[in-house]
């Protein structure tokens, strides 16, 4: 299953870009990044078999094992792409939120979108490590 991050804003050469790179280069699942401008731009077509995960402060706060279990369930039911949407400064509106298969929150604090991208990259690596029984993830 393709892990596809579709993010608003350019990350360029930055500390956040290094963080994203640190985690995505370790992913054993197919991965793709699409950057869109802060406003406008063309969202890649959503094909059949795509699940939309919208990152949003108002969403569900999932333990990493539950996030991993969601990815596992989708992968095992022949979902071809999990698409992760990260908003710009104004975030998403209610209609956009309603269109998501999963609203995912990294807590109730508002994070800069580039940090949210780095946090997502880490969680994707963590989730896929959990599914591979790799010892990266530990719980006390
Ligand atoms: C600066 S935030 C936008 C905040 C804005 N107040 C709003 O209306 O949502 C930019 C993007 O970063 C992501 N983000 C920021 N904080 C987040 C959090 N706690 N959980 C999940 N995603 C978050 C979301 O994708 C959000 O659209």
């Amino acid at each position: 299953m393709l892990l596809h991050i579709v993010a608003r804003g350019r990350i360029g050469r930055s500390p956040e870009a290094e963080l994203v790179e640190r985690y995505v280069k370790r992913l054993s699942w197919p991965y793709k990044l699409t950057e869109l401008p802060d406003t406008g731009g063309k969202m890649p077509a959503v094909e059949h078999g795509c699940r939309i995960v919208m990152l949003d402060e108002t969403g569900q706060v999932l333990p990493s094992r539950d996030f991993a279990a969601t990815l596992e369930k989708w992968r095992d039911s022949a979902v071809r792409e999990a698409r992760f949407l990260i908003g710009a400064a104004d975030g998403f509106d209610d209609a956009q939120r309603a269109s998501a298969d999963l609203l995912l929150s990294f807590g109730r604090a508002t994070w800069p979108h580039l940090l949210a991208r780095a946090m997502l990259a880490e969680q994707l690596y963590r989730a896929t490590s959990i599914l591979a029984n790799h010892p990266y993830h530990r719980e006390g």
Side-chain angles (χ1 to χ4, degrees):
M1 183 174 74
L2 174 67
L3 303 173
H4 186 184
I5 298 179
V6 179
R8 296 262 169 209
R10 303 269 177 236
I11 203 164
R13 292 180 57 175
S14 62
E16 292 92 341
E18 286 177 24
L19 263 181
V20 170
E21 194 52 32
R22 176 185 303 180
Y23 295 110
V24 299
K25 74 180 183 197
R26 298 187 208 168
L27 285 172
S28 54
W29 292 29
Y31 163 77
K32 180 177 171 185
L33 170 69
T34 300
E35 284 191 329
L36 296 176
D38 286 343
T39 57
K42 192 168 166 19
M43 171 71 70
V46 176
E47 307 287 346
H48 182 69
C50 175
R51 293 289 180 277
I52 301 291
V53 180
M54 194 169 284
L55 271 79
D56 192 277
E57 301 95 296
T58 66
Q60 292 184 56
V61 178
L62 290 182
S64 294
R65 283 195 182 279
D66 292 3
F67 180 53
T70 299
L71 295 184
E72 181 180 41
K73 183 180 72 182
W74 288 345
R75 178 198 65 188
D76 294 350
S77 53
V79 169
R80 289 204 293 249
E81 173 185 344
R83 184 174 297 188
F84 299 88
L85 306 184
I86 300 178
D90 291 333
F92 298 107
D93 62 29
D94 287 343
Q96 290 170 316
R97 289 189 186 102
S99 69
D101 294 295
L102 171 66
L103 273 184
L104 179 65
S105 171
F106 293 146
R108 296 299 179 226
T110 298
W111 300 98
H113 61 99
L114 296 182
L115 270 186
R117 202 192 298 193
M119 292 159 78
L120 174 62
E122 197 278 344
Q123 284 298 297
L124 290 173
Y125 174 60
R126 184 175 296 273
T128 53
S129 297
I130 288 169
L131 298 178
N133 294 316
H134 185 281
Y136 176 70
H137 179 72
R138 292 173 212 162
E139 281 178 29

